[in-house]
Structure formats: structure tokens, C-alpha cells
Amino acid sequence: MNKEKVPDRTVSLETAEPDMASSSSIGYLGYAEYFHNKELQQLESDVQYREKYQKEKGVSHPTLFQGLTIYVNGRTDPTRFELHKLIILHGGTFKHYLSGKTAVTHIIASELNASKKSSFANYKIVGPGWITESIARGKLLPWQDFRIVNVSVLQGKITDFATIRNCMDPNFIHSYFKSSRLHHLSNWKFQLRDQFVQDLLSSRGEISPNQKYVFFHVDFDCFFAQVSAKIDGTYDIHTVPIAISHGINNSDISSCNYVARSFGVHNGMWVSSALKLCPALKILDYEFDEYEAISNLFYQALKSVGIFKMVLPLSIDEAIGCMPVTSDTTQELLTQKCIQVRAAVFDLTQGYSVSIGCASSVLLARLALRKGKPNGFSISWFSTPLERRAFVDQFKLKDLPGIGYSTDQKIQETFGEIHSISALRGLLESPNNVSKLIKAIGSKNAKRLQTYLDGQDDDESISMVKDPASYFQKKSLSVEINYAIRFKTIDDVDTFLERLSLYLWEKLKDSNLLTRQITLKLMKRAQGAPVDPPKFMGMGKCDAISKASTLGSNTQKYGSIASECKTLFRILSVPPAEVRGIGLQFHRLTAATQASGQKLEQRRITTDIFKKANRSDDEVVRRVDEDTTPRTPKSTTYASPVKNYWDRHLKRSVTPFRYDFPDELDPEFMSNLPKDVQEEITSHHSVAKRAKRTLRTELFEEPKKQIKQTQDLHYIHDGRLVPQLSFQGLSSAKQICRTLIDWVDATIDVGPHEKDLELFVNHLNKLADQRRSHIILQLIKTLKNKIDDHYDGNSEGLEQWEYFLIRRLIPVLNKTKSDVNFNLVFDL
DNA sequence: GCTGTGTGGTAGC
DNA sequence: TATCGCTACCACACAGC
């Protein structure tokens, strides 16, 4: 382990840049020294920057911060970069690091958690406003006025924590993903690929398939650890062992620095085991926003160097720069370019180190990268296949891309304890062993492995380089959560599936895609596995099972998707209490055509509001859920056999809403409800009322006046006097409900007009401002029921109505919820 | 031979 | 107190024709 990370001097070429090269050869203290030097340089360049800026702009800033040394901690507004500029322009000294011995006079921060607060106890900690307001007033304001006092973060943490523990919380999915590193990694990867494809298409860039490239595989050294350590500012990453994790026990370490690695700590290890190996290990938090920001600068830097024809995105912190080969491509030139790239990233990101592997194939560049790490680079530029093989032979099987734990195990089971590439190469000279290998790991895998033994790229890497646009094109869409999933009843599962479908459906919609196949994937507690797994709220040992369903048509309809998921869950017949993870996948995606997009012409109905469309208007109707591309006659397609059953039996049986109640029931509201719902409400009301008692004071002691007499006022059920609102000239909820029903009926074919929707949402928002949640509830419920009546139809309008309901009205409901503290769940 | 489905493996920190 | 175990893609075995 330890040996690996010290670059092999015979192969590595990191000799060119004096300060960097020396650091590689003398170890961790060397890095510290290097960074110290770099910081001195930074200070000098800050002074130069100030002089240059002031000269160019012909201004001279007052030296407000003269003699002060300021460090910026965590996320701030303005950003750390802007503050940096402001501080140095006004004569201050900006510190990038906060190591124990650094004399810092002030720390800028927006918020501090409790632990930070205590570790910064001896510093003057102020909000960014101290800088900006001092500048605005032209004098240094007393820092005490901007002192950070409240520990606002804590409150937020508690709420988030509660949400994540309970998968039935309406905000669970979003708040969970907000903290999931794997979700972020996947999301970032997608965004980078998406951006890449867009750039490629818009640049009309001709990527010649025959172009020969030198590949620069560029990768941050322990990315999360570097960034979090810098944000935290407490420890020197070059001397203190640091790891990034959420927890303190059975929690994954996602990234650790090279000091920690020297103790045997590695990524993926649980914190408890890591602490046994390295008791001094410091655990730091994730800083997802900052990772993203630094990554942006990273990609910017790679482009700014100007030597790459393409920069292929591999992940948040990893990319391949492709430089066309010319006649003067020599080792010397490549060395220079590596230094240049590393310096560009270092400067633009203000101090982050990347390593580079540089070679003639994607594979060799990846292997060279291992040699270059950490904080260095390595070039593998060979003239003969023999040299190439000799180079590959230095690595282990597990170093090869695509050879993970499982494949490695299979190879060992077949051939005994072999780990090195050279050993396998020897074995494969016998055809007998080749067929053994194929049997163990499959023919494709075996073929790819043999290609790698030769130092060559496999087909996939080749297609990535030759046809990047299609390589990076998305072909499926999925979501899964295998943490904190605990259900009691099938109702829980249904509710969760609806939310999960909604989440994925929104992505489908946003990408303007249709799906033809849905797969539900479940993680089921394995036979004999403990009900409470060792990892808190984890999934433990599970069996993965999945079930796919091919839909009758390419669809984008939320309703069909959600029902199909519930059906699939029943087919898999896993008891809700055994479910430890749940996932949803859309396959066989097709682009939604222009006709099915939202650009479809809409009729404006104002004068004659909500009246039935006339004949000629109906002709513009196009079906939304049918792909217009012809189907391949060969492919057998069938509607889900259970789908109809499900639609028949489930659709009408769901209660559209579940909610807690306001203190007093509005009689007008009640009278509009069906009898059974009235009973349900009444029976739960007393309980709900008790639960709400603490809220009562706050709610009812609200002053009753203060409203300017610009419009009619009227009393509402709780005794408040509020302005009379109206929608389409109507003010009674009953009348408005009737209008809504007519509106839906009249526009179910072509969809509602955007302007009308605006007006309606406005009206709801005004009601929300008056905290009249029950009226909002009633209106939306009416609308929802009416839309449901048309559910069996298949029209553009229905689809638009559903979309409106989910995307526009739910937010209003949520807003209401936070105002009045309703526990309102939209049940579709 | 083909197609479709369920499962398993891998990568990023 | 704990803790945030995702997601896209490829490949294969098998079933059914």
C-alpha cells in the first residue's frame, strides 16, 4: 500500500518543475514545504494583483484592512473568491490555510457549527458583511458588530436528521440525496456528460475518428479530502491524517489523504476500523457545494490550457484531455505540457493539486496516473510493443479498469493466488488457460483483459474517443435508495413509490424523453440477516430482485408510471417490512417529439372562460404519450397484463388527500365535501386539535387589523378580517369550484392556457398569504378529482393538466404546509 | 438464431 | 448517538419461440 504511492523514479518523469519535483521525492513534509512556498508566492502575487488592478483601473482603494490577516471559512456570500479580491484590494492579507501556527487576525464565516465554534474560540469570527460594509462605508467598522453569534446550523441539522431517519417524511428523498455522496457523484457525472454533449453539438466540432491523440488522464489527489480540509481550515493536509465521512462508527470513509493511507486507511473503510489503524485520524464533513465549485474551475482550467482538442469528462474530479499527436510530440514536450496543466489547475483553483498520467492510449494513461500520484505526473511514451507490455507488467490485475473485486476473485479461484499482470500473461500462453479464463469471467471480459495485457484500448474506450457524442448520450434513467428504507404497511410502500415515481418522472420530463419499459428493483433483507443491520439504518445483507414491465406505448404519463410501480411491487411480493432498498428504472427511452413537448399551441380562454372547445380547435389536438416514430415490426410489444386490472381497482379507491386539520373546520369547506370524507374529517378532528394546541396561541394571536382599506374586507372562519379575494370575478369557494370543473372539462383535449394557469396560481398564492389553507385544499382537490374523471382518456390536455397539478400546485400546497404547519400529503 | 428478462459487476470519492 | 449503501452501462445465462 505504502509503496505504491511513492512514484517509481525510473518510470516517472516528474523532474521538470523544481518545486513540485522535489516535493515528490521527499515525502509529506516536502509537500508542506512546497505549499508553504506556494503560499508565499501567492502573497506576492496578491500584492502584484492589487498594483496591476489599481493601475489598470486608475483607482486606489483605501487600505482598510492594512495589517490584518484574514481567513475565510466555509461557504460565504459573497464567495471566498470575491472576498479574497476585496481583501487584497483593500490592503489586507488573505490566508488560504489556517494551520496552527498561522497568525490570523480574523476569520470570515457565515455560520459555524458547534465544533467549529469551539475550535475557533480564540479567533475573531465575523460575518462577510464586515468586509463588504466596511468597504461601503469607507472605514473599518468594529468587528464586534459583525460577530457570529447564533449557531444557526444546528437547527437545520436536527430537522434534516429527523427527515432522513424517516423514509415516510414527504421530504425524505430530497433531503437524503442532499447528503448522499454516491448520488452526487452520479449526478455530477451525468451533468458533465450532458454539458459535454451539448458543447460538442453546438460547437459543430469535427471529431475526426482517425485522429491520433496523446491522452492526459488528470485526477485530483484525494479530492474530497483536499477540498474539505481546505474549507475546514483546521488541519494541515500534508501532515495530519484526514478522512471524509458522515459518521463516527459504521460509516463509510469516502476519501482520505495520503497521510491516512500510510496507516493503511483506505476509501470505503468504515470509520471504526480506520480509527483502529490510525487513532489520530481526523474526520471531516462533506462540502458538496464546494466540490462542485472546485470541479468547475478544474474543467475551466483544462480548457484554458488550450492544448486539448477534447476534454472527456470521467467524473467530478477526473477528466481525459486529448491532445492531437504531431511530429514534434516528444517526451520533453509532454513533460512541459503536464507541468503546464498542473499549474493551470493549481492557479485557477487557488491551490489544489492534481496528478496526471500521460500516454498514447486511454489505458496506459490510466496506469501512468497511478505512477504519477500523488501530486505528480508520469509519462508513458513507448516506441515498441515490448516496452508497452513491460510497462503493463508492473501492475496488478486489480489496477486494470473493469477488474473489480469480484472478477479478481474469479481469476484467483481459477488459477490460484495470482495478482500480477505478468503472472497472468504467462498463464495465458496456454490456450487451455485462455478457455478457463473465458469460463471464469466471460468471453467479453476475457477478450478485454487480453487487449489490456497488450497495453491497448478496448472497444469501449475507442468508441469514447472516436464518437464521444453517442458514447456520452444517456440511454436509461434510474433512481434507487437503499438507505433508511423501513416500511410497515403496503400503504407506506405505495406512498413511497408514488414519490419515487414522481422524482424520476420529473427527470424524464425535464429531459424531454418517453419511456417504454419500467423496472422496479427491491433490496430484500436476506434470509437470516439481522433486522437491524450493523450500519445504522443501513440495508444490511440483502437479496436484490427486480421486475420489469413493458408498457403499451412510449409514455411520459405520471399516472401510468406510478400505478405500474405499485403493480410491480405486488408481483414481487416482498413483505413491506422486509424491504431495505427500492429502485426504479426507465429503459428504452425515446426523445419526445416536438408535438408532444410543451410547445403545443394553447388556446386562450378569457372572455368565454372555460367553455367547451369548438370543433376546429379540437383538430390541433395531438396525442402526447405516443411516440411518432414507427415501431420496429419485429419487436414484440404488449400492454402490461396487470395494468388494466390495476387501473380498474386502484384508481378510484385512493383517497386523494391525507392531512391533519386546522383548529376549526370551515363549515363552507365541509359542506362541499362528500359525506364519507366529512365523517373521516370529523372523526380525526379532535385528535388533530389536541396535537395542534401548541400552535394555537401563535396562530390566533395574530393581529386582526393592519390591512389597508383598499379592498373589501370580510371575516373568515377563525375570526380574522382579511381582504376579499376573487378569481374570475367569483369569490365564493363553491362558485369557483364549479368554474374549475367547467374549465377542466372544456380544456381536457387541448390543455389549459398558460395565462389562465397563472391567474389560478396567483389566486392560490393570495389565499396562502391569508393562510386559508383549507380553501386551497378544497380547490385543488376539486381540480384533481375532475382531472381524474378524464383519466382513461388519452389526450394532450390530460397530460398537461397532470403536469400542472404536480409541478405547479404541489409547491403551493407545500408552502401552505410550512405556513400553517399542516401535515399535508398529496396523494395521487 | 433471435428477443426479452433478471442478475451481477464496475466506476467515481 | 447513529448516518446519508447512487446510477449508467455492459455482459451473461436462461427462457421462449
Side-chain angles (χ1 to χ4, degrees):
Chain A
M1 194 75 225
N2 206 353
K3 265 194 188 126
E4 259 180 281
K5 62 194 189 312
V6 180
D8 179 349
R9 311 306 311 165
T10 58
V11 199
S12 240
L13 284 179
E14 64 243 66
T15 47
E17 198 176 67
D19 53 355
M20 292 205 184
S22 61
S23 67
S24 288
S25 50
I26 56 174
Y28 307 120
L29 289 174
Y31 300 140
E33 220 167 81
Y34 161 69
F35 276 101
H36 178 66
N37 288 339
K38 196 75 198 177
E39 184 141 40
L40 288 180
Q41 287 172 21
Q42 199 90 47
L43 294 180
E44 277 168 32
S45 72
D46 281 354
V47 173
Q48 285 166 9
Y49 175 82
R50 173 168 63 227
E51 284 166 2
K52 187 158 176 272
Y53 185 96
Q54 294 182 343
K55 198 170 155 199
E56 271 176 20
K57 306 261 169 181
V59 290
S60 161
H61 298 91
T63 52
L64 299 175
F65 309 121
Q66 186 86 55
L68 304 184
T69 303
I70 300 166
Y71 169 78
V72 177
N73 176 274
R75 282 183 291 278
T76 52
D77 182 24
T79 64
R80 148 202 297 273
F81 296 107
E82 286 162 38
L83 288 172
H84 179 188
K85 183 177 160 189
L86 293 175
I87 292 166
I88 61 171
L89 283 180
H90 293 85
T93 301
F94 183 90
K95 285 304 264 190
H96 289 276
Y97 305 95
L98 186 69
S99 67
K101 8 178 192 177
T102 319
V104 166
T105 58
H106 297 79
I107 292 176
I108 311 285
S110 283
E111 48 187 33
L112 289 180
N113 59 29
S115 83
K116 270 300 173 42
K117 221 181 162 200
S118 73
S119 68
F120 287 177
N122 299 325
Y123 291 99
K124 295 166 184 164
I125 305 164
V126 294
W130 180 56
I131 301 288
T132 49
E133 286 199 27
S134 291
I135 292 171
R137 305 263 191 95
K139 63 172 184 184
L140 188 67
L141 301 172
W143 70 272
Q144 289 87 347
D145 294 353
F146 296 85
R147 193 202 300 258
I148 298 284
V149 272
N150 67 28
V151 191
S152 59
V153 178
L154 280 183
Q155 197 55 46
K157 281 243 159 101
I158 287 161
T159 331
D160 247 24
F161 179 59
T163 303
I164 287 167
R165 277 179 55 167
N166 177 9
C167 67
M168 295 317 292
D169 187 298
N171 296 315
F172 171 74
I173 296 176
H174 281 101
S175 69
Y176 170 65
F177 281 159
K178 219 169 73 189
S179 307
S180 161
R181 78 185 196 278
L182 293 175
H183 171 79
H184 277 108
L185 284 171
S186 290
N187 242 16
W188 287 326
K189 182 172 178 168
F190 163 70
Q191 284 168 18
L192 289 163
R193 286 173 163 223
D194 194 50
Q195 186 64 49
F196 176 86
V197 172
Q198 279 181 36
D199 289 353
L200 200 65
L201 295 182
S202 67
S203 74
R204 293 244 150 270
E206 349 56 66
I207 300 301
S208 156
N210 297 319
Q211 175 68 57
K212 289 259 177 289
Y213 293 109
V214 189
F215 300 101
F216 290 68
H217 193 144
V218 192
D219 178 294
F220 277 79
D221 301 321
C222 54
F223 183 56
F224 283 8
Q226 258 203 93
V227 178
S228 287
K230 187 152 173 175
I231 292 299
D232 178 88
T234 317
Y235 309 107
D236 180 359
I237 193 167
H238 313 291
T239 54
V240 181
I242 289 169
I244 309 305
S245 179
H246 278 297
I248 58 168
N249 198 10
N250 298 336
S251 162
D252 271 1
I253 286 176
S254 66
S255 175
C256 59
N257 68 350
Y258 284 80
V259 185
R261 288 180 206 199
S262 71
F263 289 87
V265 176
H266 58 82
N267 295 1
M269 195 176 244
W270 276 357
V271 173
S272 53
S273 344
L275 282 172
K276 277 181 200 142
L277 294 170
C278 176
L281 187 69
K282 302 292 176 211
I283 308 294
L284 299 182
D285 266 343
Y286 291 89
E287 301 286 351
F288 293 113
D289 292 345
E290 196 70 14
Y291 302 152
E292 211 176 319
I294 298 299
S295 172
N296 273 330
L297 295 173
F298 167 61
Y299 277 94
Q300 252 180 58
L302 292 184
K303 284 177 191 157
S304 76
V305 178
I307 61 170
F308 299 131
K309 176 91 180 169
M310 298 186 283
V311 175
L312 306 172
L314 296 189
S315 80
I316 181 80
D317 76 319
E318 194 179 346
I320 296 182
C322 307
M323 184 179 92
V325 174
T326 63
S327 55
D328 53 354
T329 304
T330 59
Q331 293 233 2
E332 289 69 39
L333 180 90
L334 296 178
T335 303
Q336 231 184 66
K337 296 302 173 196
C338 283
I339 293 165
Q340 204 180 331
V341 170
R342 270 163 47 79
V345 176
F346 190 95
D347 289 343
L348 198 58
T349 59
Q350 301 193 353
Y352 286 96
S353 78
V354 291
S355 298
I356 303 179
C358 174
S360 55
S361 74
V362 174
L363 171 80
L364 293 179
R366 178 182 287 269
L367 293 177
L369 174 67
R370 293 192 70 91
K371 293 259 170 202
K373 267 178 177 292
N375 197 24
F377 64 92
S378 171
I379 298 167
S380 303
W381 196 246
F382 304 115
S383 36
T384 69
L386 213 64
E387 280 179 7
R388 224 168 45 208
R389 280 183 219 130
F391 174 70
V392 175
D393 276 350
Q394 302 168 47
F395 294 90
K396 292 181 187 164
L397 284 172
K398 284 266 286 165
D399 292 337
L400 294 172
I403 309 290
Y405 172 80
S406 173
T407 310
D408 192 52
Q409 288 292 308
K410 284 174 191 163
I411 293 173
Q412 286 182 57
E413 280 163 25
T414 314
F415 299 115
E417 288 274 310
I418 65 158
H419 296 285
S420 78
I421 290 179
S422 57
L424 185 68
R425 183 195 298 288
L427 281 169
L428 291 184
E429 276 166 18
S430 134
N432 192 18
N433 282 338
V434 174
S435 35
K436 272 190 187 167
L437 182 71
I438 291 174
K439 199 157 175 230
I441 65 171
S443 64
K444 286 274 166 104
N445 260 341
K447 190 182 157 222
R448 184 174 54 167
L449 184 49
Q450 285 188 296
T451 316
Y452 286 163
L453 292 191
D454 208 30
Q456 310 266 33
D457 280 339
D458 62 316
D459 294 347
E460 216 189 315
S461 306
I462 291 171
S463 82
M464 173 174 73
V465 174
K466 295 204 165 178
D467 188 5
S470 63
Y471 178 86
F472 288 116
Q473 193 67 50
K474 175 119 105 178
K475 293 151 199 98
S476 76
L477 206 52
S478 73
V479 62
E480 67 181 280
I481 300 185
N482 301 312
Y483 180 82
I485 297 297
R486 299 291 186 273
F487 300 124
K488 290 194 189 76
T489 64
I490 189 127
D491 280 346
D492 289 351
V493 178
D494 281 350
T495 305
F496 194 84
L497 280 173
E498 282 160 9
R499 291 177 188 151
L500 207 63
S501 313
L502 184 61
Y503 178 88
L504 200 58
W505 174 80
E506 289 189 349
K507 289 202 162 186
L508 187 74
K509 194 88 188 165
D510 289 345
S511 322
N512 204 24
L513 292 168
L514 307 172
T515 182
R516 190 162 184 79
Q517 188 180 45
I518 298 175
T519 301
L520 180 71
K521 180 183 170 193
L522 298 178
M523 302 304 289
K524 180 190 182 201
R525 182 174 67 92
Q527 192 83 52
V531 175
D532 283 320
K535 179 182 185 133
F536 174 69
M537 283 281 137
M539 64 195 271
K541 189 163 178 283
C542 281
D543 297 323
I545 47 174
S546 62
K547 177 83 192 129
S549 167
T550 304
L551 306 172
S553 62
N554 296 315
T555 191
Q556 205 180 52
K557 282 163 66 91
Y558 170 72
S560 324
I561 291 169
S563 335
E564 200 59 32
C565 292
K566 295 177 192 171
T567 307
L568 289 170
F569 182 78
R570 282 153 179 83
I571 294 173
L572 286 172
S573 64
V574 174
E578 302 282 278
V579 178
R580 289 287 179 277
I582 195 157
L584 209 52
Q585 301 159 2
F586 294 163
H587 308 279
R588 297 163 73 181
L589 305 177
T590 43
T593 53
Q594 189 70 11
S596 56
Q598 292 126 312
K599 284 168 199 143
L600 195 102
E601 199 183 320
Q602 288 168 331
R603 261 172 337 120
R604 177 87 173 101
I605 316 165
T606 4
T607 46
D608 179 13
I609 187 155
F610 312 149
K611 282 275 164 59
K612 181 91 186 150
N614 62 36
R615 219 58 224 139
S616 65
D617 279 334
D618 283 347
E619 282 158 25
V620 302
V621 174
R622 273 158 289 186
R623 286 162 69 93
V624 72
D625 63 328
E626 284 289 342
D627 185 12
T628 52
T629 52
R631 275 180 222 157
T632 340
K634 265 189 167 181
S635 73
T636 48
T637 57
Y638 53 92
S640 163
V642 278
K643 183 172 180 299
N644 287 340
Y645 167 84
W646 196 253
D647 285 352
R648 264 198 323 277
H649 288 76
L650 188 87
K651 211 186 81 197
R652 284 283 138 220
S653 68
V654 290
T655 318
F657 294 96
R658 254 170 294 150
Y659 46 83
D660 291 340
F661 309 94
D663 265 336
E664 304 296 334
L665 297 170
D666 184 354
E668 195 194 349
F669 169 48
M670 290 295 282
S671 67
N672 276 293
L673 295 174
K675 195 110 189 117
D676 54 340
V677 180
Q678 281 188 30
E679 279 163 14
E680 192 187 330
I681 291 179
T682 318
S683 73
H684 283 86
H685 186 239
S686 59
V687 181
K689 202 169 169 179
R690 277 199 302 280
K692 289 269 178 286
R693 199 148 286 164
T694 50
L695 189 68
R696 169 185 280 274
T697 330
E698 191 191 320
L699 215 75
F700 282 73
E701 282 173 8
E702 178 85 357
K704 292 186 181 180
K705 25 77 230 174
Q706 296 175 346
I707 298 151
K708 287 223 174 114
Q709 286 290 105
T710 48
Q711 46 187 316
D712 292 345
L713 298 180
H714 74 141
Y715 285 100
I716 57 173
H717 70 276
D718 60 9
R720 284 184 292 144
L721 190 62
V722 297
Q724 174 94 52
L725 297 176
S726 70
F727 175 62
Q728 295 299 318
L730 307 169
S731 46
S732 109
K734 216 170 199 163
Q735 286 174 310
I736 295 178
C737 280
R738 256 182 247 127
T739 308
L740 292 179
I741 289 168
D742 290 345
W743 185 21
V744 174
D745 281 342
T747 58
I748 198 64
D749 290 337
V750 287
H753 196 285
E754 181 59 28
K755 285 274 162 53
D756 297 330
L757 297 180
E758 277 317 319
L759 288 174
F760 184 56
V761 172
N762 270 346
H763 181 66
L764 294 184
N765 279 326
K766 282 185 197 151
L767 286 168
D769 292 343
Q770 295 184 354
R771 297 180 170 194
R772 300 173 72 189
S773 322
H774 44 292
I775 303 281
I776 297 176
L777 202 60
Q778 179 190 3
L779 296 181
I780 294 183
K781 191 182 148 122
T782 303
L783 206 55
K784 200 259 170 196
N785 283 340
K786 196 61 211 173
I787 292 168
D788 261 1
D789 285 344
H790 293 282
Y791 186 76
D792 290 330
N794 231 341
S795 69
E796 174 76 36
L798 175 64
E799 139 90 26
Q800 285 186 13
W801 271 111
E802 282 187 324
Y803 186 76
F804 172 66
L805 201 60
I806 291 159
R807 290 296 277 262
R808 304 277 294 281
L809 298 188
I810 284 186
V812 182
L813 281 175
N814 286 340
K815 181 176 155 194
T816 310
K817 180 191 152 193
S818 64
D819 281 354
V820 195
N821 201 20
F822 270 28
N823 180 18
L824 195 66
V825 178
F826 196 66
D827 197 332
L828 290 152

